[in-house]
């Protein structure tokens, strides 16, 4: 049979050869057979060569992608051809291996001929492919969206340049380097460092380099507390507590809890110790914290030890011209008479954006004569007094921009802005008051007109790039522009300037406008003389006493603006020219002297401590504006005072929550002003007011006003931020509770309207007003009788009705059925952006279905358009069935957020969605007709919809195409959701970054997440961009990833995994997937009762830890079956692991922790589990934890990086440290917490206690057998501890430790705790009283203490031993309560220092004599309750 097969093969071979020989040379055909083995080997060599080239190309592609480049098409095609060729090679090699011999006896000549021929053809193809490699150009090219010509990296402010792009990528690469923690970005002022730093922060977060990015401005005169506050705000930390202000150490500890944080310190001028001055942990203190600083001075980078220093240079000539062209509105068709001087001007700017942009903006639209004049001005300038030649160029160009300001008023506004502190956000309304006071705009007879002029000037300055817009009527001045403004004022003798040092230079005596920027002083100087001074500004952060003598030499003063001052109004009574007086947040005395300031036109006492506006204020007959906003203590304005202010135009009383008004029913009507006085002021056009409904007189109606902000019966939300507290809200806002009658004349002009509990109106329009055509925000709450917003059944409404409405909120409108009961007006809701609806139980349809116009009207009818709609949130509308009619689906292009909760009847709605919750009748989310509009959907959250079966109605649709932008999915408690949807949505989206699911009654994932791909799909299901995976309460799940499916899953971007309450889960990942978890940083597993291993497999090698190279934090909680051993040690010994928490895992010991661990927490190990065979603590790069009786019991322990140790509910723990511990292995420990360790007798061994130089915080509670903090040293030669045992310890708290005998030896109090500030404890110092003289006290000063609390210690007899006298000069808080047996007497002397003495028992007479001898002290009786604050 075998020979027959050979004969047939030979016959076939001969036949083939004969055919080929008819048309081809015989020799070449025989060569195929003869050179078969040579051809095969040559093919394999070519394959290896091609594979090497492919590997090189893949590396180049990856590098290009990392640099945010797009891949060239020919490179993509080359890669595809390589893949195809190598795939074909695999098929060819299989043929060679399977058919190499015929029955192992005779060759198959026909097969050899054909395969050899195929091999030669493939060799030729590969050779051609390899030749094309050399012809490839650059692999990548800049993406148009990532690298625009001018708007760099999505920032409209940033200027793209070679220098900026290079700097950007250098910084990003440095941020990726684990060995770099401090990066310096330096360059001249105005070159764009701040904007680049902000863009780096934004992109770094998008690239998942950091979890949080913080930015704060340091400036030339850093306010360290303000910097700390800004950093703390980003991380949700309050620098203030009940004791006062938190320390740098506390901020340092809090920042260490942030696993990955970037802190950008902008505009540093001098070197700062970040740890000691601010509290920023970097380097070995916290590898996850990195700092990017910007500065003008390269030496600052060197002084602050920046490991990577990046310079940001100016634009080159071409880039500068491109920027100038854009800002000046030039193009290729512009006249040469303009382009010629323009290019000369650009050259003069020296490539500095801060010079180019303002000058180009100023020249935009000018004639060629003006361009020529601008060039002449620039080229003739000589500014040799400026040291930095580049900044000289900037000042020259800014000067030209300044000169192009046409009127002096705008220039003066510009110079006034320069007097505000650096980086201050300037409130435009302040400038209005200053301009009026300086009579800046001549011929203006009303503040409203002056405001209009100031706003026009501000717009000019913003358009010229001399001011930056901060929003909400705030502007900001770039620091370089501010310096220029001060320079221009000095060089042109304009006499505007800032006082930065004392004593002042003589030249200031001639100034007309001065700003004080002296922060380190207790009061303003006395005896200064400014005979020409018209404008005085002092903005400070702390209260300062101000003497009347300071103002005596300022007889010409017209405007005075101060804040945070202790000041008497008598200081201004002789200033006959004073027109504007602003005393913000001041403590005022002699308030009755107000009547003497008869020249005042504007008076602001906002946020001051006044309780009454006295009668004398009515003498201010010239007063135009009175601002008493946020005077929380103001209770009374004397009767008939307001009516006497006949010239008053604007009155601000908002935020005066205690102010009372007279009514007809008042029992003390004569004691208060009445609202009716307001209508008696003929010029009053602006009012802001908070008032109770009961203070409205019967029949009172406000007359029409130009601007108003009323809260009637509604409390204004408390405001604390500076920007919100700044006053003068120029708006038309009404917030009314119950009765609207007093405001009916204001409805025609109202822009923002909130109505609460308004009864008796079935509709809003026309019942309250015919059109509300100016209304932009409408908020209706508890207006029970209202059935619709617009009722046009009986009266036609204007076509402009609600045409400007942008925000609509409806809450608890129980009778509301619809918005409009007839065809809507033509402009109805055309500008609506946000809709929030809750508890409207009768509403069935949110947006009306009817057409816009009735059939009887002329012209074609049009459907409702919601083209501006962005946000819709609906909650607890139990009868709501529809949100959008199908006719509006095509107009919802702007909609990005749709949240629905507890709407049980809802059946369908438009396909743009964010969140749906508790909609029990919902069976599918998106109808088939709307599914194609899901391409922009980023977030999908669905929870507790018991009937939901499908996400998209037709499950055959290709989800990947429809949901191509989906980034976050959360599916919770959806028992009927079909598996098809789960597969398509969860695992086929390459864009998916965050996935969370759980609470399933039945596991609908075939007991695993990973499932097979759809039969119609050629792509494998994977999640290459998945970053967060959360699985919660999937009780039936047995596997997360099925072992056979590992090859089709890609978790290369996964950074966080959380698994909770999956009781059938026995392991997390199979061994083979560990190598695919290189980006995993956080792992949390909780309450999985059957989990035995984190990594499961037949054998786990230590090399597997390399696959977890970025694992930073691990939390293991309530895992009763989790076992110690190699499989789990792979996770716990990851070199990158910094934080480990183990809670209620009784089977885990022994286990090994990484020597790099920084935070270690053990909870609730209740079982005694001694492992006798564990004798080597240093194992595989980690430290072994073998039991929880003696935690650290071996000399080989090395936890030198450990900074935080927490021990909780370790009921068997007897000793924390025992044996000959190498003390340097714990020298970085900064915080120790011991809670409910009932068998523990002492905390520190004597050896360890001497060597904890960085311990900051000690917290001990509920340790019932604890007797000592430090074990008594048994070594005879060392009876006491070294005097500097805890040099950094600042806080000690000990609670409920009934057997504790003492805290520390008395010798430790005398210099051994130099930084201790907070003491909250039971018993204190124990000493050897035999060494203390009975006749004299030993005085010990403790200068750092600021808080002592002794609470409920009935057995406490002495706070300190007899014969010792403690002095606490800095103590600010002393509390003693529940200590009836204490014999220590506390007192406070005249210097506010607290004393504590305990002496032998004395008679009452002796105590009285002693207290009379120290009459300068305030003493508390022994054993009394004390609550004292300095």
């Amino acid at each position: 049979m075998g020979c027959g097969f050979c004969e047939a093969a030979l016959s076939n071979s001969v036949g083939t050869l004969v055919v080929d020989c008819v048309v081809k040379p015989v020799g070449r055909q025989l060569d195929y057979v003869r050179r078969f083995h040579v051809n095969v080997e040559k093919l394999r060599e070519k394959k290896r060569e091609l594979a090497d080239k492919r590997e090189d190309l893949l590396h180049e592609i990856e590098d290009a992608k990392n640099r945010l480049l797009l891949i060239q098409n020919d490179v993509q095609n080359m890669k595809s051809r390589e893949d195809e060729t190598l795939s074909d090679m695999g098929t060819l090699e299989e043929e060679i291996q399977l058919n190499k011999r015929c029955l192992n006896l005779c060759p198959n000549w026909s097969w050899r001929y054909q395969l050899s021929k195929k091999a030669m053809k493939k060799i030729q193809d590969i050779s051609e492919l390899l030749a094309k490699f050399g012809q490839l150009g650059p692999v990548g090219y800049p993406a148009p969206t990532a690298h625009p010509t001018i708007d760099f990296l999505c920032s409209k402010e940033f200027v793209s340049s070679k220098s900026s792009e290079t700097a950007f990528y250098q910084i990003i690469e440095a941020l990726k380097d684990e060995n770099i923690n401090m990066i310096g970005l330096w360059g001249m002022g105005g070159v764009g460092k701040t904007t680049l730093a902000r863009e780096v922060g934004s992109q770094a977060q998008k690239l998942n380099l950091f979890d949080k990015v913080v930015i704060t401005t340091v400036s030339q005169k850093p306010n360290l507390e303000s910097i700390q506050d800004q950093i703390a705000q980003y991380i949700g930390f309050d620098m203030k507590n009940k004791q006062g202000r938190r320390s740098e150490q506390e901020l340092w500890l809090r920042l260490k809890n942030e696993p990955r944080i970037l802190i950008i310190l902008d505009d540093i001028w001098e070197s700062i110790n970040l740890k000691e001055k601010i509290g920023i942990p970097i380097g070995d203190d916290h590898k996850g914290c990195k700092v990017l600083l910007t500065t003008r001075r390269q030496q600052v980078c060197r002084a602050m030890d920046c490991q990577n220093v990046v310079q940001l240079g100016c634009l080159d000539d071409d880039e500068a011209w491109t920027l100038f062209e854009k800002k000046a509105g030039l193009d290729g068709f512009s006249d040469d008479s303009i382009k010629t001087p323009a290019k000369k001007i650009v050259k003069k700017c020296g490539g500095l954006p801060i010079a180019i942009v303002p000058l180009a903006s100023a020249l935009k639209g000018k004639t060629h004569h003006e361009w020529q004049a601008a060039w002449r001005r620039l080229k003739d300038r000589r500014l040799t007094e400026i040291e930095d030649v580049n900044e000289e160029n900037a000042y020259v160009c800014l000067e030209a921009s300044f000169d192009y300001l046409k009127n002096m008023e705008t220039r003066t506004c510009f110079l006034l802005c320069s007097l505000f502190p650096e980086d201050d956000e300037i409130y435009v309304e302040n400038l209005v008051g200053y301009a009026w006071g300086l009579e800046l705009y001549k011929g203006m007879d009303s503040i409203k007109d002056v405001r209009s002029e100031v706003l026009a000037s501000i717009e000019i300055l913003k358009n010229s790039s001399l001011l930056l817009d901060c929003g909400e009527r705030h502007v900001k001045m770039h620091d370089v522009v501010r310096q220029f403004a001060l320079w221009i004022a000095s060089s042109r003798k304009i006499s505007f300037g800032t006082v930065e040092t004392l004593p002042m230079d003589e030249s200031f005596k001639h100034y007309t406008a001065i700003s004080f920027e002296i922060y380190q002083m207790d009061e303003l100087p006395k005896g200064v003389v400014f005979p020409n001074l018209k404008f005085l500004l002092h903005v400070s952060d702390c209260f300062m006493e101000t003497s009347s003598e300071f103002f005596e030499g300022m007889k010409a003063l017209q405007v005075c603006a101060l804040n945070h001052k202790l000041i008497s109004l008598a200081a201004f009574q002789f200033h006959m020219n004073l027109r504007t007086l602003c005393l913000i947040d001041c403590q005022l005395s002699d308030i009755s002297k107000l009547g003497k300031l008869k020249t005042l036109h504007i008076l602001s006492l906002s946020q001051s401590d006044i309780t009454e506006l006295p009668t004398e204020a009515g003498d201010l007959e010239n007063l135009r504006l009175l601002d008493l906003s946020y005077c929380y203590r103001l209770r009374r304005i004397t009767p008939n005072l307001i009516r006497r202010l006949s010239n008053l135009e604007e009155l601000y009383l908002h935020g005066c929550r205690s102010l009372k008004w007279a009514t007809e029913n008042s029992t003390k009507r004569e004691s208060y002003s009445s609202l009716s006085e307001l209508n008696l002021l003929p010029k009053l056009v602006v009012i802001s007011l908070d008032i109770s409904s009961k203070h409205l007189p019967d029949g009172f109606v406000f007359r029409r006003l130009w601007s108003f902000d009323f809260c009637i019966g509604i409390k204004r939300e408390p405001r604390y931020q500076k920007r919100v507290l700044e006053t003068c809200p120029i708006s038309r806002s009404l917030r009314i509770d119950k009765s609207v009658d007093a405001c009916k004349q204001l409805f025609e002009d109202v822009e923002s309207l909130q109505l609460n509990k308004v009864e008796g109106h079935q509709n809003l329009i026309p019942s309250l007003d015919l059109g509300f055509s100016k209304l932009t925000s409408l908020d209706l709450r508890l207006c029970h009788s209202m059935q619709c917003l617009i009722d046009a059944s009986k009266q036609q409404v204007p076509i402009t009705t609600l045409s400007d409405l942008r925000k609509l909120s409806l809450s608890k409108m129980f009778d509301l059925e619809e918005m409009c009961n007839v065809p809507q007006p033509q402009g109805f809701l055309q500008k609506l952006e946000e809709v929030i609806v809750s508890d409207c139980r009768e509403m069935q349809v949110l947006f009306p279905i009817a057409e816009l116009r009735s059939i009887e009207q002329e012209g074609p009818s049009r459907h409702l358009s919601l083209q501006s709609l962005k946000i819709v949130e609906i909650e607890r509308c139990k009868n709501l069935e529809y949100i959008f009619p199908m006719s509006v689906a095509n107009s919802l292009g702007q909609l990005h957020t749709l949240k629905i909760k507890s709407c049980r009847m809802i059946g369908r709605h438009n396909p743009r969605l964010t969140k749906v919750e508790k909609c029990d009748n919902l069976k599918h989310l998106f109808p088939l007709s709307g599914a194609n509009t899901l391409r922009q959907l980023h977030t999908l959250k669905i929870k507790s919809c018991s009937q939901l079966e499908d996400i998209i109605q037709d499950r055959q649709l290709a989800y990947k195409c429809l949901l191509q932008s989906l980034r976050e999915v959360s599916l919770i408690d959806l028992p009927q959701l079909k598996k098809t949807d789960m597969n398509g949505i969860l695992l086929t989206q390459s864009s998916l970054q965050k996935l969370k699911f759980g609470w399933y009654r039945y596991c609908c994932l075939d007991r695993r997440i990973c499932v097979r791909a759809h039969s119609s799909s050629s792509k494998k299901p994977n999640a290459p961009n998945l970053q967060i995976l959360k699985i919660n309460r999937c009780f039936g799940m047995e596997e997360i990833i099925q072992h056979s499916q590992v090859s089709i899953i890609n978790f290369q971007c996964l950074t966080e995994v959380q698994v909770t309450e999956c009781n059938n889960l026995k392991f997390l990942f199979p061994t083979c997937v560990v190598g695919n978890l290189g980006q995993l940083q956080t792992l949390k597993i909780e309450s999985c009762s059957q989990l035995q291993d984190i990594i499961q497999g037949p054998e786990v090698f230590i090399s597997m830890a390399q696959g977890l190279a970025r694992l930073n934090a691990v939390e293991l909680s309530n895992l009763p079956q989790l076992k110690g051993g190699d499989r789990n040690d792979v996770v716990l010994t990851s070199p990158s692991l910094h934080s480990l928490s183990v809670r209620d895992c009784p089977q885990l010991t022994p286990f090994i922790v990484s020597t790099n661990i920084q935070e270690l927490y053990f909870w609730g190990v209740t079982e005694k589990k001694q492992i006798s065979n564990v004798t080597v603590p240093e194992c595989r790069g980690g430290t072994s934890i073998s039991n929880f009786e003696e935690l650290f019991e071996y000399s080989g322990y090395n936890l030198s990086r450990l900074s935080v140790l927490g021990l909780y509910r370790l009921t068997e723990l007897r000793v924390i440290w025992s044996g000959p511990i190498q003390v340097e292995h714990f020298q970085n420990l900064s915080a120790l917490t011991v809670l409910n360790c009932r068998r523990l007798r002492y905390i520190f061994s004597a050896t360890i206690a001497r060597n904890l130089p960085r311990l900051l915080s000690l917290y001990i509670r509920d340790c019932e057998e604890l007797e000592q903090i430090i074990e008594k040293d048994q070594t005879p030669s060392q009876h006491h501890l070294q005097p500097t045992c805890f040099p950094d310890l600042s806080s000690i708290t000990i609670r409920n430790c009934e057997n504790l005998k003492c805290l520390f030896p008395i010798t430790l109090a005398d210099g051994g705790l130099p930084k201790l500030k907070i003491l909250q404890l039971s018993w204190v110092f124990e000493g050897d009283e035999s060494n203390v003289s009975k006749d004299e006290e030993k005085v010990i000063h403790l200068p750092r203490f600021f808080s002592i609390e002794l609470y409920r210690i009935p057995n406490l007899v002495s706070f300190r031993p007899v014969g010792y006298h403690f002095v606490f000069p800095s103590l600010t808080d002393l509390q003693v309560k529940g200590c009836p047996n204490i014999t220590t007497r506390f007192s406070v002397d005249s210097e506010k220092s607290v004393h504590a003495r305990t002496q032998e028992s004395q008679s009452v007479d002796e105590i009285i004599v002693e207290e009379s001898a120290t009459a300068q002290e305030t003493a508390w009786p022994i054993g009394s309750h004390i609550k004292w604050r300095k």
Side-chain angles (χ1 to χ4, degrees), residues 95 380 422 434 721 950 1052 1140 1180 1221 1254 1406:
E95 291 185 48
D380 294 334
E422 186 176 315
Y434 304 160
Q721 297 178 358
D950 301 305
Q1052 61 185 11
L1140 172 63
R1180 297 172 182 164
I1221 301 295
R1254 298 189 179 181
E1406 289 175 324

Side-chain angles (χ1 to χ4, degrees), residues 1133-1148:
T1133 57
S1134 174
S1136 60
L1137 188 63
H1138 290 166
S1139 177
L1140 172 63
S1141 175
V1142 179
R1143 181 170 188 166
D1144 295 319
C1145 300
Q1147 303 295 321
L1148 188 58

Side-chain angles (χ1 to χ4, degrees), residues 125-136:
D125 292 344
I126 294 175
S127 298
E128 292 176 358
L129 197 58
L130 291 173
K132 290 183 179 180
F133 265 101
Q135 302 173 6
L136 284 177

